Structures are given as C-alpha cells and as structure tokens.
C-alpha cells in the first residue's frame, strides 16, 4: 500500500466542481428565463442541482476528514486560510452595497426632494424591532462563544444546549425581519432608498439563513460525535461566518437604520 | 470575572446579560406596538412606487412583500379606491 511523504490531502477525483459550475450556469440562465420569458423550469433545475451539489460535496468533505482522517494540521491550516479569504471576499461584496447607500444618501438629489430619507418615505423606527434584532444577533454571538468553549472543554451537553440556543436566536432574527419586510410602509420600488435598503438588508438576511444552516449542520455533527476538543474546524468556520454576519448587521444598523433615518 | 472555566463564563454572560437584553428589547417592542400608527396620505410622487418593468410574479404590479394596508400601488392604496 502506497504512503504519501507529505501532510497534504491529494483529493480523489470528484464530479462536484464541474456539476457545481453547471448548476451555476443553469441558475443564472434560469433567472433570465424567469425575468424575460416567464418560465421557471431552468431556474428550478438550477436551484435543485445547486442544493444537491452542496449536500454531496460537503458530505464528501466530512467523509474524508472525520471518517478517513485526511485533515492533518497542515490541511486544517489551509482550510483556515480558505475560510478567512472567503469571508474577506464577502466583506468586499457588502462594501459595494454600503458604497451605493452612501453615494445616494450623502448627497440626495432634487428628484428625492433634496433630503434623506426622501420625501414621502417613512423609515422604520431604529429603536423598535431593529434594536431587538441587534440584541438578538449580539446575544447569539455570546452563545456561540459559549458553544465553542464547551466543545474545547469536552462538555457535550452544554455545547448542544448552547448551539441550539444560537440557532434559535438566528431563526428569531429571520422571522422578525420577514415580519418587518411585510410591515414596512416603503418597498424596494420606492426610490433609491428602497433599492439600497432592501438589497443590502436582503443579502444580509440571506447570509443569516446560510449561517443558520451551517450552524444547524454543525449541531447535527456535534450530536453525532464528529467533533473532538482539539479538532472541530467545521464548527469554527461556522462560528467565524456567524460573527461576520453579526458585524455586517451592526454596520447596517448604524448606517441605514440609525443614521439613515 | 474569573469563572472556573471559559465555558462557565460565557454561559453566565449568555443568561445574565445577553438573553435579558433581548428580553428588555422584546418588552420595548411590545409596548411601542400598543399604539397603532396612522398611514401617510397618498401623494403620487414620481420617485416612489417606481415600475420600470413588471415584477415577474402575480400581476407584476406588487412588490414581493406587498402589504395592502401600508403599501400603496402606483395608483393609490388598494382599499381606498
């Protein structure tokens, strides 16, 4: 049996990368078919294949690491770099939307009534539900830290409780935001105010849902004994992502909800 | 504050600081929601209720989270006409 003379993981050939690219193509062209030709077939195929690729690719990563032991400290270091770079790219993604917001709000045009919020736009009160949402995300940052220390100290029961609490807080945030979207007197079609507000908070909400899903997968793996006190990078990556989502919210809250009202 | 362990510290922070703060904010929202707010009168501003092209759902005229009580259509509130 051959052994490798290095500590890296030479991954077996896998179909997921090319299928993932195909899913992205189906999804993007599906959006065009939906927007311009009122057909949802391609979009449905795209989203379905995207979901299947994600489930199977990440299932394989778990097989290679937890069950086959390929994730040496060297491999883990690479994964850490990867997650940090990914989160950095997401930060730049949001930076664009913040740029758009400040571009329009710092010098409001005559078409908007020369003011921000524009004439006729009644903004949400930052001290009501948005403040509650801020408390919820900050609290979830505390509970996810409790989770991490519980894992490091080998306390399984507490880790499960803490992570469950974190996920519940995430769901509470999403439910409240959905309610806010429904109750707001302004919509995405209400001048550049609506555009910047809903695109930025909308993408943030999507990231909360993604983060909550990531944490839920970690909870299932925690229950199934995948993590050890010294090796639980999947959880750490989820926690980093969750903290990132929290920080983006803080910036959204301070700029759009508070300053922008 | 030196607990016996870091997990103990963060557990304490969760139940003594973080969750009560959420509770206070929940109470605040509940109290504020007790008085209903009037909706603004409909003025046909050109920069609001923009429809460059129809939305790809329904009749193409309602936003995704449309609420007839508080969101007017380009022609006015639905329940007033």
């Amino acid at each position: 049996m051959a052994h490798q003379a290095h500590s890296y993981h030479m991954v077996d050939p896998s179909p997921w990368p090319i299928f993932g690219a195909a899913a992205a193509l189906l999804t993007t062209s599906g959006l065009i078919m939906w927007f311009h030709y009122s057909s949802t077939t391609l979009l449905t195929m795209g989203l379905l294949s995207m979901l299947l690729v994600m489930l199977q690719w990440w299932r394989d990563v778990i097989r290679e690491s937890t069950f086959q032991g390929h994730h040496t400290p060297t491999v883990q270091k690479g994964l850490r770099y990867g997650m940090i770079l990914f989160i950095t790219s997401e930060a730049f993604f949001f930076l664009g939307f913040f740029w758009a917001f400040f571009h329009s709000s710092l010098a409001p045009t005559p078409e908007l009534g020369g003011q921000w919020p524009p004439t006729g736009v009644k903004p949400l009160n930052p001290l009501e539900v948005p403040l509650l949402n801020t408390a919820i995300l900050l609290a979830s940052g505390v509970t996810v830290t409790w989770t991490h220390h519980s894992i490091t100290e080998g306390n399984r029961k507490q880790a499960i409780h803490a992570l469950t609490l974190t996920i519940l807080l995430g769901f509470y945030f999403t439910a409240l935001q959905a309610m806010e979207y429904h109750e707001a007197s302004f919509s995405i079609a209400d001048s550049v105010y609506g555009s910047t507000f809903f695109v930025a908070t909308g993408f943030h909400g999507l990231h909360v849902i993604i983060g909550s899903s990531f944490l839920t997968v970690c909870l299932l793996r925690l229950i199934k004994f995948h993590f050890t006190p010294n090796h639980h990078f999947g959880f750490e990556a989820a926690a980093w992502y969750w903290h990132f989502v929290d920080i983006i919210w803080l910036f959204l809250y301070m700029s759009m909800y508070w300053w922008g009202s | 504050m030196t607990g016996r362990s870091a997990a103990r510290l963060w557990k304490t922070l969760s139940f003594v600081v973080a969750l009560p703060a959420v509770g206070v904010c929940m109470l605040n929202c509940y109290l504020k929601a007790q008085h209903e707010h009037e909706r603004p009168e409909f003025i046909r501003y050109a920069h609001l209720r923009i429809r460059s092209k129809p939305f790809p759902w329904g009749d193409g005229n309602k936003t995704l989270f449309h609420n007839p009580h508080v969101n007017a259509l380009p022609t006015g509130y639905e329940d007033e006409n």
Side-chain angles (χ1 to χ4, degrees), chain A residues 34-35 111 119 121 127-129 132 135 139 142-143 145-146 149 153 172 181-185 187 189-191, chain B residues 5-7 10-11 14-15 18 22 25-26 28-29 32 45 47-51 53 56 63 65 67 70-71:
Chain A
W34 184 38
F35 290 156
E111 287 84 354
T119 312
V121 171
L127 299 174
E128 291 181 19
V129 174
L132 171 57
V142 174
T143 54
T145 308
W146 172 22
H149 286 289
E153 291 170 19
Y172 189 23
Y181 271 27
H182 184 70
E183 302 283 330
S185 64
S187 76
D190 287 323
S191 80
Chain B
S5 76
W10 287 98
K11 179 178 180 180
S14 299
F15 288 112
V22 170
C25 289
M26 282 169 74
N28 177 46
C29 280
K32 288 261 175 74
Y45 289 117
H47 65 288
L48 299 184
R49 299 166 276 266
I50 296 172
R51 298 287 188 272
K53 72 183 301 222
T63 62
F65 290 84
N67 181 344
V70 291
N71 300 134

Side-chain angles (χ1 to χ4, degrees), chain A residues 153-241:
Chain A
E153 291 170 19
N155 194 328
R156 173 186 161 79
K157 196 167 75 121
Q158 266 197 39
I160 291 171
H161 288 165
L163 187 49
T164 305
L165 197 46
T166 307
I167 293 165
L168 287 174
L169 287 167
F171 284 168
Y172 189 23
F173 176 93
T174 304
L176 283 171
Q177 267 301 64
M179 188 210 74
E180 281 278 273
Y181 271 27
H182 184 70
E183 302 283 330
S185 64
F186 58 91
S187 76
I188 199 172
D190 287 323
S191 80
V192 71
Y193 182 93
S195 304
T196 49
F197 181 88
F198 283 105
V199 168
T201 60
F203 271 118
H204 173 262
L206 180 64
H207 284 67
V208 171
I209 292 168
I210 291 168
S212 302
S213 307
F214 196 170
L215 288 168
T216 304
V217 168
C218 286
L219 178 62
L220 294 170
R221 295 186 66 201
L222 178 62
I223 290 169
K224 287 155 87 67
F225 299 96
H226 287 201
F227 301 134
T228 75
N230 290 313
H231 192 165
H232 43 265
F233 177 66
F235 170 78
E236 287 183 73
W240 290 351
Y241 195 77

Side-chain angles (χ1 to χ4, degrees), chain A residues 1 7 17 66 96-97 99 121 124 138 150 194 198 203 258:
Chain A
M1 189 169 107
S7 54
T66 305
F97 296 121
W99 182 350
V121 171
L124 297 167
L138 287 173
S150 299
F198 283 105
F203 271 118
W258 197 347

